[in-house]
Amino acid sequence: MIRRRLNGPVLALIAQISATAAISLLAIHTAGAGTASVAVQAAAFLIGVMALWAASRTGRPGRGPRLIVALAILVVAVLVLTTGVEMQGAHRWLALGPVLIHPASLLGAPLLWLVAQDADDVWTAGVAALAILTFGVGFDGAASLAFAVGATGLLTAARGSWKTLAPLAALSWILALWSLTRSQALPRVPYVEDVVPTVWAVAPVLGVAAVIALILLSVPLLWVGWRARAAGAAGLAMAGFWIGLSAANLLGAYPAPVVGYGASPVIGWLVAIGLAMASARRTRFQ
């Protein structure tokens, strides 16, 4: 029974997560991260795997729960903008004791997943738009680009709901262009933003592995979008989010998600995979 469950795609997913974790820990250490940072990254992968399992058991939320969770994400976005850590005009982080979290990368894919559950639900989409706007006003170009690509993927998969989704995608693209064309004043950290070129210069083989791991982040989500008809919109939306978050690293001083140092992207990526698995499982049993 266990062997049957671990066949095929599940084994491939376990292999990808394990390889990505190993590459990430080696990469940030090679790029100059201290022991404490490597330990935090390792803990993030462990927490993320547990969060993946919990997310994979999630049922399809009704309109009320969707709206409540979307409102909670909006509240977090407002807290980031009003009471979060500010760095040279950018409001992207919340401090939890000594740890900084990046809520947009942690909650962005789940927010799009909520919208994808019923693309015609104007209330959830409206709250999501406010959250996306709030994250964008905080001068977070990576998050805005991720939302833009994710919303476009959702619109592509659910074209019949264009009246709801087109404004969401348009807003996200406007915020992304506005943020990404502003001057970048934040310092670049070798094991966060510049982890790939830094590692490539020191250990080319590890650098190639880091590039491959970064490219493959969205593959499990794209696979769900391709294979599961009813779950396709959610899979494509979350895949687009991670494609945008990864692409932003090439366009400015934004972290290389999961491969570079940062607990929030690690946990957010694994949660997104869990939600995609939940959607695919519901589709299989319908």
Side-chain angles (χ1 to χ4, degrees):
M1 182 69 175
I2 294 175
R3 185 174 296 175
R4 287 199 300 271
R5 289 183 179 179
L6 293 181
N7 278 340
V10 175
L11 282 174
L13 180 60
I14 292 172
Q16 181 184 359
I17 292 172
S18 302
T20 302
I23 291 168
S24 174
L25 296 176
L26 287 171
I28 66 173
H29 175 69
T30 302
T35 303
S37 297
V38 175
V40 169
Q41 192 82 339
F45 273 101
L46 293 176
I47 294 170
V49 168
M50 291 186 287
L52 181 156
W53 180 86
S56 71
R57 316 305 299 175
T58 302
R60 181 176 181 177
R63 181 178 180 180
R66 285 199 307 270
L67 191 56
I68 290 172
V69 176
L71 283 169
I73 294 175
L74 173 59
V75 169
V76 172
V78 171
L79 289 175
V80 172
L81 188 61
T82 57
T83 66
V85 176
E86 183 269 336
M87 295 185 185
Q88 300 187 33
H91 297 262
R92 305 173 189 170
W93 310 272
L94 280 177
L96 294 180
V99 179
L100 289 183
I101 65 170
H102 183 243
S105 62
L106 183 63
L107 303 173
L111 181 64
L112 291 175
W113 180 83
L114 289 171
V115 177
Q117 301 310 297
D118 184 358
D120 292 318
D121 180 2
V122 296
W123 287 99
T124 301
V127 174
L130 289 175
I132 291 170
L133 175 62
T134 307
F135 281 128
V137 169
F139 186 23
D140 195 338
S144 294
L145 181 61
F147 281 124
V149 180
T152 302
L154 180 55
L155 177 60
T156 302
R159 291 185 293 272
S161 303
W162 66 270
K163 291 183 180 179
T164 303
L165 301 178
L168 196 67
L171 171 65
S172 301
W173 279 111
I174 291 169
L175 290 169
L177 293 172
W178 173 69
S179 296
L180 293 172
T181 53
R182 291 184 57 176
S183 60
Q184 297 291 322
L186 294 177
R188 302 178 71 96
V189 180
Y191 55 88
V192 180
E193 290 85 6
D194 288 335
V195 63
V196 171
T198 301
V199 170
W200 194 303
V202 176
V205 173
L206 182 57
V208 171
V211 171
I212 294 172
L214 194 61
I215 292 172
L216 294 181
L217 290 180
S218 61
V219 168
L221 304 168
L222 287 171
W223 186 86
V224 169
W226 175 63
R227 288 294 301 271
R229 291 189 297 271
L236 289 177
M238 293 192 292
F241 182 87
W242 284 97
I243 290 171
L245 209 61
S246 300
N249 178 243
L250 304 175
L251 303 175
Y254 298 104
V258 182
V259 174
Y261 175 70
S264 299
V266 169
I267 298 172
W269 175 59
L270 292 169
V271 167
I273 293 174
L275 292 174
M277 292 170 63
S279 298
R281 189 182 69 253
R282 290 199 307 270
T283 300
R284 187 165 63 249
F285 290 112
Q286 285 175 352

